[in-house]
């Protein structure tokens, strides 16, 4: 597996070596890159420049392989080595359990969407939408109505595995226009809950708000759309917590058959955060 300049082997666990990694070795090892996150071309380019400029420094962060030989971590470094055509020293660790994959963080930290991509095999853009929307859903479940978005990667993955409707919500939101009054991930979070009441009504509701197909000039969602658009133009976008508060309040009123009479009341913040009915 290459020329060893140092060898530190633990017979009861992973094997750690320092190796001069050639472009040929990098190419072969990348062939074992099964189920890894999508590579970032920008990060690879940064590493490649460092190698070409003689600024590469070996750190203690290893290139990692599983007990079965799969590459768990290091694809950006290996791609940079391959593209640079240079040989550089790297720490290499072999014999790791496959299960550690989703908690590995290297030179470019894994994002929640990276873990979803690897574990679920969904398209990259779907995973990005799903990761963000699920984070808001978890906040809502925890009654963290400021929506701080601090859910851990493992928490997001576990939630999606237990609640596949989150995937359907992300896929639905992806089909909405990009030029919408709020990020589509907010719509995905809303759809996750509202569609459990009525899928058709949830889709019509979001068509009115996200697309602009409103029910006349007095539609509460038209008022909310206009407020969001004006705030964005002023470079003072409305926080997702306030948007979701208004959306849920309007939805609940319509589900009760008693739409809000004065649209500005949807934006009130002087009472408890509403929950879906």
């Amino acid at each position: 597996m290459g020329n060893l300049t140092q060898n530190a082997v633990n017979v009861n666990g992973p094997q750690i070596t320092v190796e001069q990694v050639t472009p040929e070795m990098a190419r072969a090892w990348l062939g074992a890159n099964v189920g890894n996150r999508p590579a970032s071309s920008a990060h690879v380019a940064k590493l490649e420049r460092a190698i070409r400029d003689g600024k590469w420094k070996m750190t203690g962060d290893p290139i990692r392989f599983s007990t079965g030989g799969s590459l768990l971590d290091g694809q950006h470094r290996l791609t940079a080595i391959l593209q640079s055509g240079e040989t550089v020293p790297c720490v290499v660790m072999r014999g790791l359990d496959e299960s550690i994959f989703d908690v590995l963080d290297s030179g470019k930290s894994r994002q929640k969407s990276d873990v979803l991509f690897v574990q679920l095999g969904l398209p990259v853009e779907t995973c990005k939408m799903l990761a963000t929307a699920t984070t808001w859903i978890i906040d809502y479940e925890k009654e963290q109505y400021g929506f701080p978005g601090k859910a851990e990667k493992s928490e997001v993955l576990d939630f999606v595995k237990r609640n596949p409707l989150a995937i359907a919500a992300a896929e639905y939101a992806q089909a909405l226009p990009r030029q919408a009054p709020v990020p589509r991930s907010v719509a995905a979070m809303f759809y996750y809950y509202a569609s459990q009441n009525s899928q058709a009504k949830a889709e019509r509701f979001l068509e009115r708000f996200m697309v602009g197909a409103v029910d006349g000039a007095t539609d509460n969602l038209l008022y909310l759309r206009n407020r969001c658009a004006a705030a964005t133009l002023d470079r003072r976008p409305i926080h997702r917590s306030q948007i979701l508060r208004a959306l849920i309040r309007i939805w609940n009123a319509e589900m009760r058959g008693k739409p809000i009479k004065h649209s500005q009341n949807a934006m009130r913040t002087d009472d408890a955060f509403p929950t879906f009915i």
Side-chain angles (χ1 to χ4, degrees):
M1 298 290 288
N3 296 323
L4 308 187
T5 58
Q6 182 178 342
N7 196 349
V9 180
N10 181 349
V11 296
N12 296 316
Q15 300 176 358
I16 303 174
T17 58
V18 176
E19 307 185 23
Q20 294 293 331
V21 181
T22 67
E24 292 74 20
M25 292 165 63
R27 186 191 304 277
W29 290 358
L30 284 166
N33 182 24
V34 179
N36 220 314
R37 58 181 167 166
S40 164
S41 57
H43 190 56
V44 169
K46 178 181 178 181
L47 296 175
E48 184 183 350
R49 284 196 301 272
I51 294 172
R52 292 184 183 277
D53 294 344
K55 296 180 180 179
W56 174 272
K57 295 186 183 298
M58 183 179 67
T59 68
D61 187 32
I63 294 170
R64 298 174 172 94
F65 291 91
S66 71
T67 53
S70 297
L71 178 66
L72 297 178
D73 192 31
Q75 68 164 332
H76 290 91
R77 282 165 284 174
L78 292 173
T79 302
I81 292 169
L82 176 61
Q83 293 181 180
S84 72
E86 302 288 339
T87 297
V88 297
C90 296
V91 177
V92 182
M93 183 180 293
R94 297 182 177 85
L96 292 164
D97 193 303
E98 298 272 4
S99 64
I100 72 166
F101 178 85
D102 63 351
V103 297
L104 287 176
D105 281 320
S106 60
K108 180 178 184 297
S109 297
R110 284 190 169 85
Q111 304 299 313
K112 296 166 188 173
S113 58
D114 294 327
V115 174
L116 294 176
F117 174 82
V118 171
Q119 295 291 332
L120 303 179
L122 297 169
V124 173
E125 292 305 314
T126 301
C127 290
K128 291 179 180 179
M129 178 76 69
L130 178 60
T132 304
T134 302
T135 300
W136 308 149
I137 292 169
I138 291 172
D139 286 341
Y140 180 83
E141 295 285 315
K142 293 180 177 179
E143 298 183 4
Q144 295 178 349
Y145 299 131
F147 296 92
K150 301 296 185 181
E152 297 292 333
K153 287 170 277 193
S154 59
E155 190 176 9
V156 170
L157 177 62
D158 289 343
F159 186 93
V160 173
K161 285 182 174 179
R162 289 184 283 104
N163 299 277
L165 180 57
I167 299 174
E171 292 174 337
Y172 169 78
Q174 269 190 289
L176 294 171
R178 290 182 179 273
Q179 298 301 318
V182 300
R184 292 178 298 170
S185 54
V186 173
M189 181 274 183
F190 179 90
Y191 183 85
Y192 174 81
Y193 289 103
S195 64
Q196 295 181 50
N197 181 310
S198 169
Q199 182 176 338
K201 290 180 180 179
E203 291 179 0
R204 174 58 188 144
F205 189 93
L206 288 170
E207 181 183 21
R208 288 158 56 201
F209 179 60
M210 297 293 285
V211 180
V214 296
D215 292 335
T218 60
D219 192 326
N220 288 308
L221 292 176
L222 175 60
Y223 172 82
L224 183 57
R225 274 180 61 87
N226 291 340
R227 281 287 302 272
C228 290
T232 300
L233 286 174
D234 289 341
R235 297 184 179 181
R236 299 179 62 183
I238 302 172
H239 192 269
R240 55 185 168 271
S241 62
Q242 191 173 355
I243 295 169
L244 284 168
R245 176 191 292 268
L247 286 173
I248 297 170
R249 184 177 284 128
I250 295 169
W251 168 263
N252 287 349
E254 292 184 1
M255 292 303 101
R256 294 188 182 102
K258 297 179 179 180
I260 297 171
K261 291 184 179 180
H262 303 289
S263 296
Q264 61 269 27
N265 288 338
M267 302 293 291
R268 291 197 333 267
T269 59
D270 57 351
D271 56 358
F273 196 92
T275 56
F276 285 91
I277 62 171

